[in-house]
Amino acid sequence: MQHLKIFIDLTRLNKPIGFMLLFWPCSWGLAYAYSINQNLGDFIYYLFLFFLGSILMRSAGCIFNDIVDKDFDKKVYRTKTRPIAAGLITVKQSLIYVGILCLMAFLVLIQFNLFTIILGMSSMILAFPYPYMKRITYWPQLFLGITFNWGIIMAWAAINNNISLEILVLYMSAIFWTLGYDTIYGAQDMSDDEIIGLKSTSIKFKENIKVFVFASYSIAASLMFLFFKDNIGLNFSSFFLLSFILILAYQVLRMDKNEPQICLKLFKLNNFGGFIMFLTIISENF
């Protein structure tokens, strides 16, 4: 049981917000593809595969991130009890877990068409360098947004076997959504990160962090309005879109960089926001 607890802590399976934020963009791409394809069987099947893949890849990513950051994690209050930093598991054992999880994720990936498999494999070029970004740039959140929302394009391609301009607009919107919510998340560790020399948008814009989050969310919302421009009116889709925008606005209004617990709660609210955006897209069919 102790080994199971270490594995759960290592992969953050007890904190589903991580893999859900990876999954929701995939569901958006699938929902938009379904609005055109109208194949319910494929939609449900691929939704399950992307959900499973999100859990596996997020778990592998958490372990790899902890391996890379183990020396930094020991110096940060919020992360010093993580299994690798606390010495509860070795790096070698952790790498074995990463390999197993990636192999399982690959078995999920090969259920898709060749184009989607190529897109999935190419995402590794983005995924594995991510933990190093906070050492070299103040924009790791932007890099995360590019990486974390790749599933939108993959999900669309899984059904349509191509990339459309509309799906790229949705992808860009999701990048700025991530840029906003991960800046809120990063506000929890600003003081520790500055001491040990790590970088983030939270630190870069710490004097005007609300303005930066507002700008990020405003760009995300504007791109979403562009994406939905032909469907805005008195309908369910517009109601859910407005709800999503209000969730973003609430985060900006309530955010306080000096209150880590508030920042964490606002960050977690984006799980609900991701679900609302899924409803926004899928309700276009009704």
Side-chain angles (χ1 to χ4, degrees):
M1 288 301 292
Q2 182 65 19
H3 289 294
L4 178 61
K5 183 181 184 307
I6 291 173
F7 178 78
I8 291 173
D9 289 342
L10 195 61
T11 55
R12 320 280 205 278
L13 287 174
N14 56 338
K15 299 176 181 178
I17 179 68
F19 64 73
M20 291 306 299
L21 287 176
L22 185 60
F23 168 70
W24 286 127
C26 301
S27 76
W28 300 357
L30 282 175
Y32 184 51
Y34 173 67
S35 70
I36 296 172
N37 179 269
Q38 293 292 308
N39 188 321
L40 184 60
D42 283 351
F43 172 69
I44 294 174
Y45 176 57
Y46 288 148
L47 201 63
F48 169 73
L49 289 180
F50 274 104
F51 181 69
L52 183 58
S54 296
I55 294 174
L56 293 170
M57 285 309 300
R58 171 60 179 167
S59 297
C62 285
I63 300 174
F64 185 73
N65 186 80
D66 286 2
I67 291 171
V68 173
D69 284 351
K70 64 182 188 302
D71 293 329
F72 289 116
D73 284 347
K74 295 174 184 177
K75 302 173 184 177
V76 177
Y77 177 78
R78 187 177 60 83
T79 61
K80 65 183 180 180
T81 58
R82 288 177 175 174
I84 298 175
L88 301 177
I89 186 171
T90 67
V91 170
K92 182 178 179 180
Q93 290 172 316
S94 300
L95 283 171
I96 292 173
Y97 281 140
V98 172
I100 293 172
L101 289 165
C102 285
L103 177 60
M104 293 172 68
F106 179 72
L107 293 177
V108 173
L109 180 64
I110 59 176
Q111 306 307 308
F112 299 109
N113 59 47
L114 179 60
F115 185 41
T116 306
I117 293 172
I118 293 172
L119 286 172
M121 294 301 293
S122 66
S123 71
M124 295 299 96
I125 300 172
L126 299 170
F128 284 104
Y130 167 69
Y132 298 97
M133 291 299 108
K134 65 187 77 172
R135 294 163 168 77
I136 62 177
T137 178
Y138 281 104
W139 295 89
Q141 281 78 10
L142 178 59
F143 196 85
L144 179 68
I146 294 169
T147 306
F148 230 56
N149 296 291
W150 194 251
I152 290 177
I153 298 175
M154 287 181 61
W156 168 267
I159 291 181
N160 293 289
N161 205 29
N162 61 41
I163 297 176
S164 71
L165 178 60
E166 291 81 7
I167 209 66
L168 289 177
V169 171
L170 184 61
Y171 173 59
M172 290 297 297
S173 175
I175 289 174
F176 284 97
W177 175 54
T178 301
L179 183 58
Y181 73 60
D182 204 52
T183 298
I184 294 174
Y185 184 76
Q188 298 177 90
D189 301 325
M190 282 196 298
S191 57
D192 286 334
D193 285 351
E194 284 186 290
I195 291 171
I196 60 183
L198 294 180
K199 300 177 175 67
S200 70
T201 51
S202 309
I203 293 172
K204 183 174 180 62
F205 297 99
K206 64 180 180 179
E207 299 304 325
N208 297 288
I209 193 167
K210 272 197 174 189
V211 174
F212 179 74
V213 173
F214 172 75
S216 299
Y217 280 166
S218 294
I219 295 172
S222 298
L223 288 168
M224 285 176 180
F225 274 117
L226 177 62
F227 179 76
F228 290 106
K229 67 181 187 303
D230 295 328
N231 199 48
I232 293 176
L234 295 176
N235 51 52
F236 285 116
S237 183
S238 296
F239 169 76
F240 288 126
L241 177 60
L242 178 60
S243 299
F244 180 82
I245 302 302
L246 289 175
I247 289 172
L248 301 187
Y250 175 77
Q251 291 174 56
V252 175
L253 292 172
R254 288 282 291 119
M255 184 189 176
D256 185 342
K257 66 180 181 180
N258 299 313
E259 295 289 344
Q261 288 302 313
I262 291 177
C263 290
L264 181 60
K265 288 179 180 178
L266 294 175
F267 164 74
K268 289 181 176 181
L269 187 59
N270 286 282
N271 184 27
F272 182 61
F275 173 63
I276 291 297
M277 180 50 59
F278 170 73
L279 293 180
T280 305
I281 299 172
I282 201 69
S283 63
E284 286 188 295
N285 298 285
F286 305 106

Coordinates of all heavy atoms in Angstrom, one line a residue, residues 68-139:
V68 N 13.4 16.2 -13.0 CA 14.1 17.4 -13.4 C 14.2 18.4 -12.3 O 15.3 19.1 -12.1 CB 13.5 18.0 -14.7 CG1 14.2 19.3 -15.1 CG2 13.6 17.1 -15.9
D69 N 13.1 18.6 -11.6 CA 13.1 19.7 -10.6 C 13.4 19.2 -9.1 O 13.2 20.0 -8.2 CB 11.7 20.3 -10.6 CG 11.4 21.2 -11.7 OD1 12.4 21.5 -12.5 OD2 10.3 21.6 -12.0
K70 N 13.9 18.0 -9.0 CA 14.0 17.5 -7.6 C 14.9 18.3 -6.7 O 14.5 18.5 -5.5 CB 14.6 16.0 -7.7 CG 16.1 15.9 -8.2 CD 16.5 14.5 -8.2 CE 18.0 14.4 -8.5 NZ 18.4 15.0 -9.9
D71 N 15.9 19.0 -7.2 CA 16.7 19.8 -6.3 C 16.0 21.1 -6.0 O 16.2 21.7 -4.9 CB 18.1 20.1 -7.0 CG 18.9 18.8 -7.1 OD1 18.8 18.0 -6.2 OD2 19.7 18.7 -8.1
F72 N 15.2 21.7 -6.9 CA 14.5 22.9 -6.7 C 13.3 22.6 -5.7 O 13.0 23.4 -4.8 CB 13.9 23.5 -8.0 CG 15.0 24.1 -8.8 CD1 15.3 23.6 -10.1 CD2 15.7 25.2 -8.4 CE1 16.3 24.1 -10.9 CE2 16.7 25.8 -9.2 CZ 17.0 25.2 -10.4
D73 N 12.6 21.4 -6.0 CA 11.5 21.1 -5.1 C 11.8 21.0 -3.7 O 10.9 21.3 -2.8 CB 10.9 19.7 -5.6 CG 10.1 19.9 -6.9 OD1 9.8 21.0 -7.3 OD2 9.8 18.8 -7.5
K74 N 13.0 20.6 -3.3 CA 13.4 20.5 -1.9 C 13.4 21.9 -1.2 O 13.3 22.0 0.0 CB 14.8 19.9 -1.8 CG 14.9 18.5 -2.3 CD 16.4 18.0 -2.3 CE 16.5 16.6 -2.8 NZ 17.9 16.1 -2.9
K75 N 13.5 23.0 -2.0 CA 13.6 24.3 -1.5 C 12.3 25.1 -1.5 O 12.3 26.2 -1.1 CB 14.7 25.1 -2.3 CG 16.1 24.4 -2.3 CD 17.0 25.1 -3.2 CE 18.4 24.4 -3.3 NZ 19.3 25.0 -4.3
V76 N 11.3 24.5 -2.1 CA 10.0 25.2 -2.2 C 9.0 24.5 -1.2 O 8.8 23.3 -1.2 CB 9.4 25.1 -3.6 CG1 8.1 25.7 -3.7 CG2 10.4 25.8 -4.6
Y77 N 8.4 25.3 -0.4 CA 7.5 24.8 0.7 C 6.4 23.9 0.1 O 6.1 22.8 0.7 CB 6.9 26.0 1.4 CG 5.9 25.5 2.5 CD1 6.3 25.1 3.7 CD2 4.5 25.6 2.3 CE1 5.5 24.7 4.7 CE2 3.6 25.2 3.3 CZ 4.1 24.7 4.5 OH 3.2 24.3 5.4
R78 N 5.8 24.3 -1.0 CA 4.7 23.6 -1.5 C 5.1 22.2 -2.1 O 4.3 21.3 -2.2 CB 3.9 24.4 -2.6 CG 2.7 23.8 -3.1 CD 2.0 24.8 -4.1 NE 2.8 25.1 -5.3 CZ 2.9 24.3 -6.4 NH1 2.2 23.2 -6.4 NH2 3.7 24.6 -7.4
T79 N 6.3 22.1 -2.5 CA 6.8 20.9 -3.3 C 7.8 20.0 -2.6 O 8.1 18.9 -3.1 CB 7.4 21.3 -4.6 OG1 8.5 22.1 -4.4 CG2 6.3 22.1 -5.5
K80 N 8.2 20.4 -1.4 CA 9.3 19.7 -0.8 C 9.0 18.3 -0.3 O 9.8 17.5 0.0 CB 9.9 20.5 0.4 CG 8.9 20.7 1.6 CD 9.6 21.6 2.6 CE 8.6 21.9 3.8 NZ 9.3 22.7 4.8
T81 N 7.6 18.0 -0.2 CA 7.2 16.7 0.2 C 6.9 15.7 -0.9 O 6.4 14.6 -0.7 CB 5.9 16.8 1.1 OG1 4.9 17.5 0.4 CG2 6.2 17.6 2.4
R82 N 7.1 16.2 -2.2 CA 6.9 15.3 -3.3 C 7.9 14.1 -3.2 O 9.0 14.2 -2.7 CB 7.1 16.1 -4.6 CG 6.0 17.0 -4.9 CD 6.3 17.8 -6.2 NE 5.1 18.7 -6.5 CZ 5.1 19.6 -7.5 NH1 6.2 19.7 -8.3 NH2 4.0 20.3 -7.7
P83 N 7.4 12.9 -3.6 CA 8.2 11.7 -3.4 C 9.6 11.7 -3.7 O 10.5 11.2 -3.0 CB 7.4 10.7 -4.2 CG 6.0 11.2 -4.2 CD 6.1 12.7 -4.3
I84 N 10.0 12.2 -4.9 CA 11.4 12.2 -5.3 C 12.2 13.2 -4.5 O 13.3 12.9 -4.0 CB 11.5 12.6 -6.8 CG1 10.8 11.5 -7.7 CG2 13.0 12.6 -7.2 CD1 10.8 11.8 -9.2
A85 N 11.7 14.4 -4.3 CA 12.3 15.4 -3.5 C 12.5 15.0 -2.0 O 13.5 15.3 -1.4 CB 11.6 16.7 -3.5
A86 N 11.5 14.2 -1.5 CA 11.6 13.7 -0.2 C 12.4 12.4 0.0 O 12.5 11.9 1.1 CB 10.2 13.5 0.4
G87 N 12.9 11.9 -1.1 CA 13.7 10.7 -1.1 C 12.9 9.4 -0.9 O 13.5 8.4 -0.5
L88 N 11.6 9.4 -1.2 CA 10.8 8.2 -1.0 C 10.9 7.2 -2.1 O 10.5 6.1 -2.0 CB 9.3 8.6 -0.8 CG 9.0 9.6 0.4 CD1 7.5 10.0 0.4 CD2 9.4 8.9 1.7
I89 N 11.4 7.7 -3.3 CA 11.6 6.9 -4.4 C 12.8 7.4 -5.2 O 13.1 8.6 -5.2 CB 10.3 6.9 -5.3 CG1 10.5 5.9 -6.5 CG2 10.0 8.3 -5.8 CD1 9.2 5.7 -7.3
T90 N 13.6 6.5 -5.8 CA 14.8 6.9 -6.6 C 14.4 7.4 -8.0 O 13.4 7.1 -8.5 CB 15.7 5.7 -6.7 OG1 15.2 4.7 -7.5 CG2 16.1 5.1 -5.3
V91 N 15.4 8.1 -8.5 CA 15.2 8.6 -9.9 C 15.1 7.4 -10.9 O 14.3 7.4 -11.8 CB 16.4 9.5 -10.3 CG1 16.4 9.8 -11.8 CG2 16.3 10.8 -9.5
K92 N 15.9 6.4 -10.7 CA 15.8 5.2 -11.5 C 14.5 4.5 -11.5 O 13.9 4.2 -12.6 CB 16.9 4.2 -11.1 CG 17.0 2.9 -12.0 CD 18.1 2.0 -11.6 CE 18.1 0.7 -12.5 NZ 19.2 -0.2 -12.0
Q93 N 13.9 4.4 -10.4 CA 12.6 3.8 -10.2 C 11.5 4.7 -10.9 O 10.6 4.2 -11.6 CB 12.2 3.6 -8.8 CG 13.0 2.5 -8.1 CD 12.7 2.5 -6.6 OE1 12.7 3.5 -5.9 NE2 12.5 1.3 -6.0
S94 N 11.7 6.0 -10.8 CA 10.8 6.9 -11.3 C 10.8 6.9 -12.9 O 9.8 7.0 -13.5 CB 11.1 8.3 -10.8 OG 11.0 8.4 -9.4
L95 N 12.0 6.8 -13.4 CA 12.2 6.7 -14.9 C 11.5 5.4 -15.4 O 11.0 5.4 -16.6 CB 13.7 6.7 -15.2 CG 14.3 8.1 -15.2 CD1 15.8 8.0 -15.4 CD2 13.7 9.0 -16.2
I96 N 11.5 4.3 -14.7 CA 10.9 3.1 -15.1 C 9.4 3.4 -15.2 O 8.7 3.0 -16.2 CB 11.2 2.0 -14.1 CG1 12.6 1.5 -14.2 CG2 10.2 0.8 -14.4 CD1 13.1 0.5 -13.2
Y97 N 8.8 4.1 -14.2 CA 7.4 4.4 -14.3 C 7.1 5.3 -15.5 O 6.1 5.1 -16.2 CB 7.0 5.2 -13.0 CG 6.7 4.3 -11.8 CD1 7.2 4.7 -10.5 CD2 6.1 3.1 -11.9 CE1 6.9 3.9 -9.4 CE2 5.8 2.3 -10.8 CZ 6.3 2.7 -9.5 OH 6.0 2.0 -8.4
V98 N 8.0 6.3 -15.8 CA 7.8 7.1 -17.0 C 7.7 6.3 -18.2 O 6.9 6.5 -19.1 CB 8.9 8.2 -17.1 CG1 8.8 8.9 -18.4 CG2 8.8 9.2 -15.9
G99 N 8.7 5.3 -18.3 CA 8.7 4.5 -19.5 C 7.4 3.6 -19.7 O 6.9 3.5 -20.8
I100 N 7.0 3.1 -18.6 CA 5.7 2.2 -18.6 C 4.5 3.1 -19.0 O 3.7 2.7 -19.9 CB 5.5 1.6 -17.3 CG1 6.6 0.5 -17.0 CG2 4.1 0.9 -17.2 CD1 6.6 -0.1 -15.6
L101 N 4.4 4.3 -18.4 CA 3.3 5.1 -18.7 C 3.3 5.6 -20.2 O 2.3 5.7 -20.8 CB 3.3 6.3 -17.8 CG 2.9 6.0 -16.3 CD1 3.3 7.2 -15.4 CD2 1.4 5.7 -16.2
C102 N 4.5 5.9 -20.7 CA 4.6 6.4 -22.1 C 4.3 5.2 -23.0 O 3.7 5.5 -24.1 CB 6.0 6.9 -22.3 SG 6.3 8.6 -21.6
L103 N 4.7 4.0 -22.7 CA 4.4 2.9 -23.5 C 2.9 2.6 -23.6 O 2.3 2.4 -24.6 CB 5.1 1.6 -23.0 CG 4.8 0.3 -23.7 CD1 5.2 0.4 -25.2 CD2 5.5 -0.9 -23.0
M104 N 2.2 2.8 -22.4 CA 0.8 2.6 -22.4 C 0.1 3.7 -23.2 O -0.9 3.5 -23.9 CB 0.3 2.6 -20.9 CG 0.7 1.4 -20.1 SD 0.3 1.6 -18.4 CE -1.5 1.5 -18.4
A105 N 0.6 4.9 -23.1 CA 0.0 6.1 -23.9 C 0.2 5.8 -25.4 O -0.6 6.2 -26.2 CB 0.7 7.4 -23.4
F106 N 1.4 5.2 -25.7 CA 1.6 4.9 -27.2 C 0.6 3.9 -27.7 O 0.2 4.0 -28.8 CB 3.1 4.4 -27.3 CG 3.4 4.1 -28.8 CD1 3.6 5.1 -29.7 CD2 3.5 2.8 -29.2 CE1 3.9 4.8 -31.0 CE2 3.8 2.5 -30.5 CZ 4.0 3.5 -31.4
L107 N 0.3 2.9 -26.9 CA -0.7 1.9 -27.3 C -2.1 2.6 -27.5 O -2.8 2.1 -28.4 CB -0.8 0.8 -26.2 CG 0.4 0.0 -26.0 CD1 0.2 -1.0 -24.9 CD2 0.8 -0.8 -27.3
V108 N -2.4 3.6 -26.7 CA -3.6 4.4 -27.0 C -3.5 5.2 -28.3 O -4.4 5.2 -29.1 CB -3.9 5.3 -25.8 CG1 -5.1 6.2 -26.1 CG2 -4.2 4.6 -24.5
L109 N -2.3 5.8 -28.5 CA -2.1 6.6 -29.6 C -2.3 5.9 -31.0 O -2.8 6.4 -31.9 CB -0.7 7.3 -29.6 CG -0.3 8.2 -30.7 CD1 -1.3 9.4 -30.8 CD2 1.1 8.7 -30.6
I110 N -1.8 4.7 -31.0 CA -1.8 3.9 -32.3 C -3.2 3.4 -32.7 O -3.4 2.8 -33.7 CB -0.8 2.7 -32.3 CG1 -1.1 1.7 -31.2 CG2 0.6 3.2 -32.2 CD1 -0.2 0.5 -31.2
Q111 N -4.2 3.8 -31.9 CA -5.6 3.5 -32.2 C -6.1 4.5 -33.2 O -7.2 4.3 -33.8 CB -6.5 3.4 -31.0 CG -6.0 2.5 -29.9 CD -5.8 1.1 -30.3 OE1 -6.6 0.5 -31.0 NE2 -4.6 0.6 -30.0
F112 N -5.4 5.6 -33.4 CA -5.8 6.7 -34.3 C -5.3 6.5 -35.7 O -4.4 5.6 -35.9 CB -5.5 8.0 -33.7 CG -6.1 8.3 -32.3 CD1 -5.3 8.3 -31.2 CD2 -7.4 8.5 -32.2 CE1 -5.8 8.6 -29.9 CE2 -8.0 8.8 -31.0 CZ -7.2 8.8 -29.8
N113 N -5.7 7.4 -36.6 CA -5.1 7.4 -37.9 C -3.6 7.9 -37.9 O -3.1 8.4 -36.9 CB -5.9 8.3 -38.9 CG -6.1 9.7 -38.4 OD1 -5.1 10.4 -38.1 ND2 -7.3 10.3 -38.4
L114 N -3.0 7.7 -39.0 CA -1.5 7.9 -39.1 C -1.2 9.4 -38.8 O -0.2 9.7 -38.1 CB -1.0 7.5 -40.5 CG 0.5 7.8 -40.7 CD1 1.4 7.0 -39.7 CD2 0.9 7.4 -42.2
F115 N -2.0 10.3 -39.4 CA -1.8 11.7 -39.2 C -1.8 12.1 -37.7 O -1.0 12.9 -37.2 CB -2.8 12.6 -40.0 CG -2.5 14.0 -39.9 CD1 -1.3 14.6 -40.1 CD2 -3.6 14.9 -39.8 CE1 -1.1 15.9 -40.0 CE2 -3.4 16.3 -39.8 CZ -2.1 16.8 -39.9
T116 N -2.8 11.6 -37.0 CA -2.9 11.8 -35.5 C -1.7 11.2 -34.8 O -1.2 11.8 -33.8 CB -4.2 11.3 -35.0 OG1 -5.3 11.8 -35.8 CG2 -4.4 11.7 -33.6
I117 N -1.3 10.1 -35.2 CA -0.1 9.4 -34.5 C 1.1 10.3 -34.7 O 1.9 10.5 -33.7 CB 0.1 8.0 -35.1 CG1 -1.0 7.1 -34.8 CG2 1.5 7.5 -34.6 CD1 -0.9 5.7 -35.5
I118 N 1.3 10.9 -35.9 CA 2.4 11.7 -36.2 C 2.3 13.0 -35.3 O 3.3 13.5 -34.7 CB 2.5 12.1 -37.7 CG1 2.9 10.9 -38.5 CG2 3.6 13.2 -37.9 CD1 2.8 11.1 -40.0
L119 N 1.1 13.6 -35.2 CA 0.9 14.7 -34.4 C 1.2 14.4 -32.9 O 1.8 15.2 -32.2 CB -0.5 15.2 -34.5 CG -0.9 16.0 -35.8 CD1 -2.4 16.2 -35.8 CD2 -0.2 17.3 -35.9
G120 N 0.8 13.2 -32.5 CA 1.0 12.8 -31.1 C 2.5 12.7 -30.8 O 3.0 13.1 -29.7
M121 N 3.2 12.0 -31.7 CA 4.6 11.8 -31.5 C 5.4 13.2 -31.5 O 6.3 13.4 -30.7 CB 5.2 10.9 -32.6 CG 4.6 9.5 -32.5 SD 5.0 8.6 -30.9 CE 6.8 8.5 -31.0
S122 N 4.9 14.1 -32.4 CA 5.6 15.4 -32.4 C 5.4 16.2 -31.2 O 6.2 17.1 -30.9 CB 5.1 16.2 -33.7 OG 3.7 16.5 -33.5
S123 N 4.3 15.9 -30.4 CA 4.1 16.7 -29.2 C 5.1 16.4 -28.2 O 5.3 17.2 -27.2 CB 2.7 16.3 -28.6 OG 2.7 15.0 -28.1
M124 N 5.8 15.3 -28.3 CA 6.9 15.0 -27.4 C 8.1 16.0 -27.5 O 8.8 16.2 -26.5 CB 7.5 13.5 -27.6 CG 6.5 12.4 -27.4 SD 5.9 12.4 -25.6 CE 4.4 13.3 -25.7
I125 N 8.2 16.6 -28.6 CA 9.2 17.6 -28.8 C 8.9 18.8 -27.9 O 9.8 19.5 -27.5 CB 9.3 18.0 -30.3 CG1 9.6 16.8 -31.2 CG2 10.3 19.2 -30.5 CD1 9.5 17.1 -32.7
L126 N 7.6 19.0 -27.6 CA 7.2 20.1 -26.8 C 7.2 19.7 -25.3 O 7.5 20.4 -24.4 CB 5.9 20.6 -27.2 CG 5.7 21.1 -28.6 CD1 4.2 21.4 -29.0 CD2 6.5 22.4 -28.8
A127 N 6.7 18.4 -25.1 CA 6.4 18.0 -23.7 C 7.7 17.9 -22.8 O 7.7 18.4 -21.7 CB 5.6 16.7 -23.7
F128 N 8.7 17.2 -23.3 CA 9.8 16.9 -22.5 C 10.7 18.1 -22.2 O 11.3 18.2 -21.1 CB 10.6 15.7 -23.0 CG 9.9 14.4 -22.8 CD1 9.2 13.7 -23.8 CD2 9.9 13.8 -21.5 CE1 8.6 12.5 -23.5 CE2 9.2 12.6 -21.2 CZ 8.6 12.0 -22.3
P129 N 10.9 19.1 -23.1 CA 11.7 20.3 -22.7 C 11.0 21.2 -21.7 O 11.6 22.0 -21.1 CB 11.9 21.0 -24.1 CG 11.6 20.0 -25.1 CD 10.5 19.1 -24.5
Y130 N 9.7 21.0 -21.5 CA 8.9 22.0 -20.7 C 9.5 22.2 -19.3 O 9.6 23.4 -18.9 CB 7.4 21.6 -20.6 CG 6.7 22.3 -19.5 CD1 6.5 23.7 -19.6 CD2 6.4 21.7 -18.3 CE1 5.8 24.4 -18.6 CE2 5.7 22.4 -17.3 CZ 5.5 23.8 -17.4 OH 4.9 24.5 -16.4
P131 N 9.9 21.2 -18.6 CA 10.4 21.4 -17.2 C 11.6 22.3 -17.2 O 11.9 22.9 -16.1 CB 10.7 20.0 -16.7 CG 9.9 19.1 -17.5 CD 9.8 19.7 -18.9
Y132 N 12.3 22.4 -18.3 CA 13.5 23.2 -18.3 C 13.2 24.7 -18.6 O 14.1 25.6 -18.5 CB 14.5 22.7 -19.4 CG 15.0 21.3 -19.1 CD1 14.4 20.2 -19.7 CD2 16.0 21.1 -18.2 CE1 14.8 18.9 -19.4 CE2 16.5 19.8 -17.9 CZ 15.9 18.7 -18.5 OH 16.3 17.4 -18.2
M133 N 12.0 25.0 -19.1 CA 11.7 26.3 -19.6 C 11.8 27.4 -18.5 O 12.2 28.5 -18.7 CB 10.3 26.4 -20.2 CG 10.2 25.6 -21.5 SD 11.2 26.3 -22.8 CE 12.5 25.1 -23.0
K134 N 11.4 27.0 -17.2 CA 11.4 27.9 -16.1 C 12.8 28.3 -15.7 O 13.0 29.3 -15.0 CB 10.7 27.4 -14.9 CG 11.3 26.1 -14.3 CD 10.4 25.5 -13.2 CE 9.3 24.7 -13.9 NZ 8.6 23.9 -12.8
R135 N 13.8 27.6 -16.2 CA 15.2 28.0 -16.0 C 15.7 29.0 -17.0 O 16.7 29.8 -16.6 CB 16.1 26.8 -16.1 CG 15.9 25.7 -15.0 CD 16.5 24.4 -15.4 NE 16.5 23.4 -14.4 CZ 15.5 22.7 -13.9 NH1 14.3 22.9 -14.5 NH2 15.6 21.8 -12.9
I136 N 15.1 29.1 -18.2 CA 15.7 29.9 -19.2 C 14.9 31.0 -19.7 O 15.3 31.9 -20.4 CB 16.1 29.0 -20.4 CG1 14.9 28.3 -21.0 CG2 17.2 28.0 -20.0 CD1 15.2 27.5 -22.3
T137 N 13.6 31.0 -19.4 CA 12.7 32.1 -19.8 C 11.6 32.4 -18.8 O 11.2 31.6 -18.0 CB 12.0 31.7 -21.2 OG1 11.1 32.7 -21.6 CG2 11.2 30.4 -21.0
Y138 N 11.1 33.7 -18.9 CA 10.0 34.1 -18.0 C 8.7 33.6 -18.6 O 7.6 33.9 -18.0 CB 10.0 35.6 -17.9 CG 11.0 36.1 -16.8 CD1 12.2 36.7 -17.2 CD2 10.8 35.9 -15.5 CE1 13.1 37.2 -16.3 CE2 11.7 36.4 -14.5 CZ 12.9 37.0 -15.0 OH 13.8 37.5 -14.0
W139 N 8.7 32.9 -19.7 CA 7.5 32.5 -20.4 C 7.2 31.0 -20.4 O 6.7 30.5 -21.4 CB 7.5 33.0 -21.8 CG 7.4 34.5 -21.9 CD1 8.5 35.4 -21.9 CD2 6.3 35.4 -21.9 NE1 8.1 36.7 -21.9 CE2 6.7 36.7 -21.9 CE3 4.9 35.1 -21.9 CZ2 5.8 37.8 -22.0 CZ3 4.0 36.2 -22.0 CH2 4.5 37.5 -22.0

